[in-house]
Amino acid sequence: IAGITQAPTSQILAAGRRMTLRCTQDMRHNAMYWYRQDLGLGLRLIHYSNTAGTTGKGEVPDGYSVSRANTDDFPLTLASAVPSQTSVYFCASSDRAESYNEQFFGPGTRLTVL
Amino acid sequence: GQNIDQPTEMTATEGAIVQINCTYQTSGFNGLFWYQQHAGEAPTFLSYNVLDGLEEKGRFSSFLSRSKGYSYLLLKELQMKDSASYLCAVEDSNYQLIWGAGTKLIIKP
C-alpha cells in the first residue's frame, strides 16, 4: 500500500441499508478525515480524528459515525442510508506534527443511495 | 460564519497566464492551501501560504494578503493538462480546513 486507499470505489445502495466505507493509510499520520464532495459545494468535513482513539464531529456529521481503533484505519459508517447521502466521499490524512497541515487524499468512493 | 469565495469557472488559452482569486472570512487563520483536482480524481496539494507575499513553485505561484483576506493562484505557461478544478482552503483556529467550492479551469488550444 502506498498512501491512502479507500473501498469500495463505487457503490449503489438501497435507502435504509447500512454501509461502511473503508479507509486505510500507511504513512503513520496521526490525523484522519472524512469529507463529502457534492457538485457546486466545497469539500465538507463529516468527521475527523486527531489521533488513534479519538474522533470529532465536522460540519455535516448527522447520519454518519466513525471509529479510530488504530493509526491506519478510519472507517465511516452510514447507519441507515438516505438519498441525500449520495455523494463522493474522500478520506484524507495528515501529520499534525508537521509545520503545516497538508492533507493527503484517498481516491474516493462514489456512493449512490436510491 | 465561515466563507470562502472563488470563481466557479474560468477559461484560458494554452501557453497563457491565468490568475485564480480566492477571498475568505474564517474563524481564525493558520494558513491557506491550494489544491488541484482533476475530474474524477482526488485533490492533490499545490501550495501553502501563511505569511503575506508570493510563494513560487515552478509554473505555479500563490499569493496571500492576510489583511485583505485574499489569495490568488497564478499559473504560467498553461498546458492542456492544467485543465482541472483548483480548490482554495483555509485552516481555521481549530486546525480544520475550510474549503471553497473550487474553480474549474478550462484550457483551450
Side-chain angles (χ1 to χ4, degrees), chain B residues 57-98:
Chain B
K57 189 185 294 185
R59 293 189 300 114
F60 292 7
S61 302
S62 56
F63 172 83
L64 174 67
S65 169
R66 293 184 61 165
S67 63
K68 295 182 179 179
Y70 168 70
S71 173
Y72 67 73
L73 181 69
L74 192 70
L75 292 73
K76 302 176 184 176
E77 301 170 15
L78 286 169
Q79 302 175 10
M80 297 303 294
K81 68 178 181 179
D82 297 329
S83 291
S85 288
Y86 292 86
L87 314 181
C88 174
V90 171
E91 187 175 35
D92 70 8
S93 56
N94 293 318
Y95 300 99
Q96 302 298 345
L97 293 188
I98 310 301

Side-chain angles (χ1 to χ4, degrees), chain B residues 4 27-28 31 38 44-47 50 52 55 66 75 81-82 89-90 99-100 102:
Chain B
I4 297 186
S27 303
H38 285 101
T44 56
F45 171 80
L46 283 178
S47 69
V50 66
D52 286 358
E55 294 281 344
R66 293 184 61 165
L75 292 73
K81 68 178 181 179
D82 297 329
V90 171
W99 297 81

